[in-house]
Amino acid sequence: MEEKVLELKENGDLTDNIISKSDAHKNGICHGISAVALISNGKLLIQKRSLRKRGEPGKWDLSSAGHIDLDETPIDAAIREAYEEIGILIDKSELELIDTFLMKKKFSNGDSINHFTYLYVVKKNIDLNSVIMQETEVDEVKFVDKKEYMKLFDNDCMVEGIKYCGRVLDYID
């Protein structure tokens, strides 16, 4: 069954329209995303997107991120995505909303994304060996400090959406 999402106005306000995720991307319709930056001992856990991913395969991204399902709040989606993608359990009380932003991009295949993103930080001690990567989503994970983050950013090794996530730098050494 095709994944459904709620259409949002570009300021993040809900509409009453339910659309398929594929239609949203085909037609550039705004919908919600939750992203999580997990900080452990002053370092950010980042994931390398699977080479099987349609969008930006092989690029580094925040700890986890994904679409907000119909029956979810942005917080619920953040918790679900962290568990699905990297096997990390997060409690609602650990999430700190640090920013919201709109990201729009057109791809060469004609698809467009129009994501209203909720960006959360979680400060939590994480053992890299406890990370369970979802093979269809994630190829690798690692911790980075601010210097390595900026090197990956400057060398165009990160997803485009990361350029909107500058506030995360305030949380890493």
Side-chain angles (χ1 to χ4, degrees):
M1 177 175 241
E2 187 163 12
E3 193 176 345
K4 301 283 186 182
V5 294
L6 283 172
E7 179 181 0
L8 300 177
K9 295 179 183 174
E10 290 189 350
N11 66 0
D13 289 345
L14 291 171
T15 71
D16 292 331
N17 299 329
I18 296 172
I19 51 177
S20 71
K21 185 173 126 181
S22 63
D23 282 345
H25 286 182
K26 223 179 284 177
N27 301 309
I29 299 168
C30 187
H31 57 288
I33 296 285
S34 284
V36 176
L38 287 161
I39 311 296
S40 182
N41 298 313
K43 294 190 177 189
L44 171 65
L45 180 70
I46 60 173
Q47 64 160 280
K48 192 173 205 179
R49 291 171 61 83
S50 169
L51 292 175
R52 299 178 218 165
K53 294 288 289 179
R54 184 173 175 180
E56 302 185 272
K59 295 263 186 160
W60 289 98
D61 201 348
L62 291 177
S63 310
S64 63
H67 290 86
I68 301 168
D69 289 344
L70 284 179
D71 60 345
E72 290 182 313
T73 66
I75 289 173
D76 294 334
I79 292 168
R80 176 183 51 78
E81 288 291 344
Y83 186 72
E84 284 179 1
E85 291 183 2
I86 56 175
I88 302 293
L89 289 172
I90 296 172
D91 187 82
K92 287 182 182 188
S93 65
E94 296 175 302
L95 289 160
E96 177 186 349
L97 180 66
I98 63 166
D99 205 0
T100 59
F101 56 86
L102 181 67
M103 185 192 145
K104 295 172 108 172
K105 179 180 179 174
K106 254 198 186 313
F107 292 97
S108 57
N109 68 3
D111 284 358
S112 345
I113 55 173
N114 189 354
H115 292 156
F116 188 85
T117 304
Y118 299 83
L119 176 59
Y120 296 94
V121 162
V122 173
K123 294 178 188 171
K124 183 178 187 111
N125 288 331
I126 299 166
D127 177 358
L128 211 49
N129 294 320
S130 70
V131 173
I132 303 167
M133 295 178 285
Q134 182 182 21
E135 291 180 10
T136 58
E137 297 275 337
V138 182
D139 279 347
E140 186 180 343
V141 293
K142 67 179 177 178
F143 287 108
V144 294
D145 58 18
K146 197 176 293 189
K147 182 179 177 183
E148 186 172 0
Y149 178 101
M150 292 309 299
K151 182 178 178 183
L152 290 167
F153 182 86
D154 291 341
N155 290 327
D156 196 32
C157 296
M158 298 183 101
V159 296
E160 186 166 330
I162 212 81
K163 70 183 178 186
Y164 299 95
C165 299
R167 299 248 356 256
V168 169
L169 293 172
D170 296 339
Y171 293 84
I172 59 178
D173 298 331

